[in-house]
């Protein structure tokens, strides 16, 4: 037996067929043998190579297509792609819902990755991206409706994430976007009801923007921390209310 046959026999004995086929594609991608836009072998050739049915190959290929990793072109063939965002967002939202992820956990993770995004944005943001954030802040100052203001708040933070030009941060943010956006919307409404907090939050956003313009991470990190301190104060109030209701 050659090395591939030994490996195939081991896999076949220890896995279900679809897992074995999925591992084949996974190993092809991780090894670099398959890259984006590469045309993969026809179903028949893969089935013969792996000694499985074409239905098993088709099942895994369909799963890869749904997950955004395969482009099946009628009459042309199947090509590797990398557009998994829609699937990953839905999957992560289901997981977070099932695990009942709390706002405190969203708050903690946001503090971490947005501070990193700010540091990268100071280095990588284009003039156009900084100006887009500027225009968002101007609109936020003009709108009194907390819900509409909350939408602009989300746009500001999303634009900051994009301006980091770090694909992992952008991808991760998109995966948890629904929960984070709901978090921002809920707390924006609560904070805007308190004029002192509303004014402080407004200044924090402008200070974050100013730090981007000045390329001053020290000032920016201070402004970002002030922003999260304001949100944290509101989060503590909410937790206290929930604890009191539970008594």
């Amino acid at each position: 037996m050659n090395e591939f046959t030994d490996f195939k026999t081991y896999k076949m004995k220890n896995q279900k067929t679809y897992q074995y086929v999925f591992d084949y594609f996974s190993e092809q991608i991780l090894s670099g043998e398959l890259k984006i836009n590469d045309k993969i072998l026809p179903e028949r050739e893969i089935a013969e190579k792996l000694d499985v049915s074409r239905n098993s190959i088709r099942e895994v290929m369909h799963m890869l297509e749904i997950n955004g990793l395969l482009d099946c072109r009628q009459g042309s063939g199947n090509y590797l792609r990398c557009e998994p965002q829609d699937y990953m967002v839905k999957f992560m939202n289901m997981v977070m819902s099932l695990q009942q992820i709390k706002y405190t956990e969203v708050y903690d993770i946001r503090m971490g990755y947005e501070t990193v995004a700010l540091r990268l944005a100071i280095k990588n943001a284009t003039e156009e991206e900084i100006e887009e954030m500027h225009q968002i802040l101007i609109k936020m100052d003009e709108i009194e409706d907390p819900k509409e203001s909350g939408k602009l708040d989300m746009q500001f933070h999303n634009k900051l994430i994009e301006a980091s030009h770090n694909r992992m941060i952008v991808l991760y943010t998109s995966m948890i976007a629904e929960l984070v956006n709901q978090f921002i919307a809920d707390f924006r409404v609560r904070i805007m009801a308190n004029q002192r907090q509303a004014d402080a939050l407004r200044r924090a956003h402008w200070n974050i923007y100013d730090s981007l313009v000045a390329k001053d991470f020290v000032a920016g990190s201070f402004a970002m921390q002030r922003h999260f301190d304001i949100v944290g104060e509101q989060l503590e109030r909410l937790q206290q209310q929930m604890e009191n209701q539970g008594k």
Side-chain angles (χ1 to χ4, degrees):
M1 282 189 181
N2 60 36
E3 185 177 346
F4 178 78
T5 304
D6 289 340
F7 170 79
K8 181 173 70 173
T9 302
Y10 171 79
K11 287 283 189 178
M12 289 291 284
K13 287 182 178 178
N14 291 275
Q15 289 184 313
K16 294 181 179 178
T17 303
Y18 77 88
Q19 292 175 315
Y20 166 59
V21 175
F22 180 83
D23 278 354
Y24 164 76
F25 283 105
S26 176
E27 288 156 8
Q28 291 279 298
I29 293 170
L30 293 176
S31 68
E33 293 186 45
L34 279 178
K35 298 180 177 64
I36 294 177
N37 296 323
D38 281 356
K39 184 177 181 178
I40 69 171
L41 294 173
E43 292 177 7
R44 176 182 54 78
E45 292 186 32
I46 299 176
E48 290 177 357
K49 183 176 183 179
L50 300 183
D51 193 23
V52 298
S53 70
R54 292 182 64 176
N55 283 338
S56 296
I57 303 298
R58 194 172 296 117
E59 178 183 357
V60 173
M61 289 175 62
H62 181 60
M63 179 180 67
L64 293 173
E65 182 181 19
I66 292 174
N67 294 349
L69 296 177
L70 201 63
D71 182 13
C72 299
R73 305 175 190 173
Q74 188 68 32
S76 176
N78 303 309
Y79 298 81
L80 199 67
R81 64 170 178 159
C82 186
E83 299 176 9
Q85 287 85 347
D86 288 345
Y87 170 80
M88 293 175 70
V89 168
K90 292 176 183 177
F91 179 80
M92 281 299 296
N93 285 331
M94 288 189 292
V95 170
M96 289 187 292
S97 178
L98 289 170
Q99 293 190 348
Q100 297 181 326
I101 298 297
K102 300 176 182 178
Y103 275 156
T104 51
E105 295 170 283
V106 179
Y107 171 80
D108 291 339
I109 199 69
R110 276 194 65 203
M111 280 198 296
Y113 74 72
E114 286 207 34
T115 301
V116 174
L118 173 64
R119 178 174 62 82
L120 293 173
I122 287 174
K123 177 183 177 182
N124 300 325
T126 65
E127 293 183 4
E128 290 77 12
E129 288 170 328
I130 294 176
E131 179 56 26
E132 286 176 3
M133 283 185 271
H134 183 213
Q135 293 302 317
I136 291 171
L137 291 178
I138 291 174
K139 291 179 181 178
M140 284 172 65
D141 285 349
E142 295 172 348
I143 292 177
E144 296 183 1
D145 182 357
K147 290 186 178 180
E148 290 301 316
S149 181
K151 293 178 182 178
L152 291 169
D153 192 324
M154 287 183 274
Q155 289 179 25
F156 178 83
H157 287 276
N158 288 338
K159 182 56 64 177
L160 175 64
I161 296 296
E162 292 173 14
S164 74
H165 293 266
N166 182 295
R167 290 176 295 176
M168 283 301 298
I169 296 178
V170 173
L171 178 60
Y172 178 75
T173 302
S174 70
M175 288 169 59
I176 63 172
E178 186 171 320
L179 188 60
V180 170
N181 289 346
Q182 187 61 50
F183 174 86
I184 293 175
D186 286 350
F187 279 81
R188 183 81 186 185
V189 171
R190 293 174 181 273
I191 290 170
M192 293 299 287
N194 182 307
Q195 191 60 51
R196 179 187 65 81
Q197 285 191 325
D199 291 342
L201 189 65
R202 173 186 174 279
R203 287 194 299 271
H205 280 104
W206 276 104
N207 289 339
I208 291 171
Y209 163 77
D210 290 339
S211 75
L212 287 170
V213 174
K215 298 187 180 300
D216 185 346
F217 178 64
V218 174
S221 60
F222 180 83
M224 184 67 76
Q225 186 58 55
R226 180 56 186 144
H227 170 278
F228 281 109
D229 286 345
I230 297 166
V231 176
E233 290 175 16
Q234 188 60 56
L235 183 56
E236 288 180 5
R237 291 193 182 93
L238 177 61
Q239 285 183 306
Q240 188 62 50
Q241 290 175 5
M242 293 175 65
E243 288 175 5
N244 292 337
Q245 291 174 358
K247 291 180 179 178

